[in-house]
Amino acid sequence: MTTAIYPGSFDPITNGHLDIITRAARLFEKLIVGIYDRPDKVLLFTTEERLALVKQAVSTIPNAEARVFSGMTASFAKEVKAQTIVRGLRMSADFEKEFDLAMMNKKLFPEIELICLMSDLKYQFLSSSLLKEAAILGGDVDDLVPKPVAVALRKKAHSKM
Ligand code: ADP
């Protein structure tokens, strides 16, 4: 079976992520969206909240599932028997970071392939961090995220007031 993982913070999942998930799910028999459990990183949503939001977002994609992981991404790939790591590339910011990551992964885990899918033009400038900033300041981000994420962002914005 061809299996891939799509790892990320997903704090929170956006329509840009979902576009990559939808397209990657067409390329592999199984796609596991891996949510980093990173206690060292300050995130807006807890691991459980991020998992729940990703689960809802992928519920209509039969061969996609959401799982939490910690430690090295390539180790997680091996654990779930994935041969490929999928990442999304936006126009400028992502290339160098992804290239470095790919080189390190290739050195440590040569059997695992990393593929990058180009972000759709309409999501090129969409990032979870910008989105959070806008939402917390009361901006309308509804058409950039799945509906449950918009609701969750509104709740967070209220709790921060
Ligand atoms: P990370 O902390 O690993 O960067 P993110 O949740 O920010 O986690 O992103 C996960 C993956 O999705 C990364 O490969 C990132 O480049 C990609 N990504 C983020 N936003 C978009 C977007 N708008 N379009 C396509 N890919 C994206």
Side-chain angles (χ1 to χ4, degrees):
M1 179 186 271
T2 58
T3 303
I5 61 163
Y6 176 43
S9 310
F10 304 106
D11 185 45
I13 186 167
T14 69
N15 286 346
H17 293 129
L18 198 51
D19 175 60
I20 299 291
I21 293 169
T22 307
R23 288 159 54 203
R26 288 190 207 119
L27 300 175
F28 300 93
E29 288 167 288
K30 188 168 164 189
L31 180 74
I32 299 170
V33 183
I35 299 143
Y36 306 134
D37 187 16
R38 299 263 316 260
D40 58 315
K41 234 180 160 184
V42 181
L43 300 174
L44 181 64
F45 291 94
T46 66
T47 303
E48 292 69 32
E49 288 171 332
R50 289 180 289 132
L51 173 66
L53 290 171
V54 172
K55 271 193 173 162
Q56 289 183 66
V58 304
S59 62
T60 55
I61 307 172
N63 60 333
E65 65 178 73
R67 293 202 23 194
V68 170
F69 76 99
S70 52
M72 290 190 75
T73 301
S75 305
F76 174 61
K78 277 185 135 179
E79 183 193 319
V80 297
K81 298 191 171 36
Q83 306 82 15
T84 308
I85 298 173
V86 172
R87 299 284 286 172
L89 268 194
R90 282 159 296 183
M91 208 121 59
S92 53
D94 295 326
F95 179 76
E96 282 189 20
K97 188 179 97 186
E98 297 302 336
F99 192 79
D100 288 351
L101 260 177
M103 292 300 110
M104 181 56 83
N105 271 331
K106 208 66 198 153
K107 170 108 192 80
L108 299 176
F109 302 90
E111 68 281 22
I112 295 192
E113 212 48 74
L114 185 138
I115 70 160
C116 290
L117 297 181
M118 302 302 154
S119 173
D120 187 287
L121 204 53
K122 51 182 187 291
Y123 304 127
Q124 286 292 339
F125 300 101
L126 177 55
S127 70
S128 295
S129 44
L130 263 182
L131 179 95
K132 282 184 285 192
E133 253 184 78
I136 297 296
L137 295 172
D140 181 354
V141 296
D142 285 15
D143 50 354
L144 299 175
V145 290
K147 206 170 177 149
V149 175
V151 173
L153 277 169
R154 237 171 258 130
K155 273 196 198 144
K156 288 276 179 197
H158 276 239
S159 69
K160 292 211 177 280
M161 273 177 181

